[in-house]
Amino acid sequence: MSKERIKIAPEFFDIMPPEYQDLVTKATYGNEQRGWKDIGTSKELIEEHSLCAGCPESMAFRYILASLPNPEDTVMVGSTGCTSLVFPHVAIHNIHSLFGNQNAVASGLKRALMVRFPGRVKDVVVLAGDGATVDIGLDMTMQAWFRQEKFTTICFDNELYANTGGQESGLMQKGFVAKMAPVGKGFEKVRLPEIAREAGCHYIVNCTVSKPSLIEKVVKNAIYVARELGPTYLQLYTPCILEIGKNSMEGLQEMRDAEKPTERFAYKEYISEPAKQLLAEMAAKDKEKKAAAKQLASQGA
Amino acid sequence: MTQYRVLPGPEHFLPPSAASMGIKLPNPGEGHIHGVIVPEEQAMEEAARQFLMARVPTIFPGPLVLWAWNEKAAKKATAVRHLYETIKECVAPQQKPMLIPMPDYRPKYPKINPEVEINPNHPNLTIWHNKIDCCMFVGVHCHQANLSLKIIRGGTNCFTIAMCAQAGHEDAMLSFRDATPEKIMRLAEWVRKLKGSVKPPEVVSKKEKSAG
């Protein structure tokens, strides 16, 4: 991994728009330690965004893009929804699939990449809303998990169909009244994390995006586990402030309220035994590496 | 043989694809002008003439030459820059050559800065903004070039040239095929050769313009 593959031809460097110049000089490609703390000090892989002011989804996008361990060799698969408005602005390969087909597309893509680039790590990450993941695309989502496809599925759960005006979704909480669901939801929120566990996912987390360090950790873990073992799933609460009647500044508080211990987005994780072992091994190696680096530094001093 | 000719527009909102109107692609060693197959040297001469006649002759390098993917791309980039510098040297002071990149194909809604870049999904914005009357696409993937060339033909009066590395473009008003760095350098030579023999556009003062 390095910036070698995104060099601007020297003859054209002066005419390239500044955001591209920044991308090749100040982005964190090739930095194994990249994470959310790079935000503000390096070029982000998202060029503005077209979401509403204060949208928690935009925070989630920034944290996730900053946390991908291998951005040059990552392909994201999106679906119809607010996320599809952002993908044209990101400096990561991405595919927009038909509504609900994202996990089927990602399955084929991951397999093709494994054949085409046998010696290289290529990560595939699905990022879709709750409508695409749970309602329209549930079949494709679950079939990919059953087949043990080696990629990560991230669901931005805003508990309704936001950009079409607030229709009821499977992940909406029971009794919730939305603009286009006036009688209130009649059944419980679909328990997709539990379904994911039963369907064979090795690493599952259900949380909000209020804590960037937590998002960095779970995104990295999910991708590392997916590379080696099989499907992983993250369900992240990204409330639609417009559809739940909040102001731009209230998204963060909404997430904090929703992650309290008794609430529906209280931190919940499931890690399979092989995944636990893998993560422990990786942590041990990381510790060794850091210790060796520390020793080397002290010897140098 | 078709009577349809690929001419500067504005043709109309959705111009037909030139291929659907019977325009054929040139064979190796050939080019086309307005859809008529001609020897490559003739196309070279005409392209050079169009650059020298235009008020704002412009080159739009695409991702295949803007980014240093490999040695071949790097050589092509050098040749394209050389062509631009040659045009700059050879035109009259009232002409304003431009080199505007098409870094990628993202739609970039809701904004694009037409002064610094061109986007294949709305190339007309850059052409209108800079009053470009002759442009050359080079290093743009064929499907995106076709899309752009059609939009330009539909909504502007810009003369379009395609320096295509594959089989050429029917939707351009003039197209080369099998572009190589050497071929681009040869076009630069043609520009230099025709310098002084082509009448540059007349200077129209603001007063004359407003008088109609």
Side-chain angles (χ1 to χ4, degrees), chain B residues 111-118 126 129:
Chain B
K111 69 157 196 171
I112 177 182
N113 184 349
E115 278 182 21
V116 296
E117 67 182 311
I118 179 166
T126 298
H129 182 86

Side-chain angles (χ1 to χ4, degrees), chain A residues 52-67:
Chain A
C52 307
C55 175
E57 198 170 276
S58 66
M59 293 161 61
F61 244 109
R62 295 177 73 187
Y63 299 156
I64 291 169
L65 291 183
S67 306

Side-chain angles (χ1 to χ4, degrees), chain A residues 190-208:
Chain A
V190 173
R191 295 171 65 190
L192 197 63
E194 285 78 5
I195 292 174
R197 188 187 64 207
E198 296 305 315
C201 284
H202 289 271
Y203 182 84
I204 299 153
V205 168
N206 177 62
C207 65
T208 77

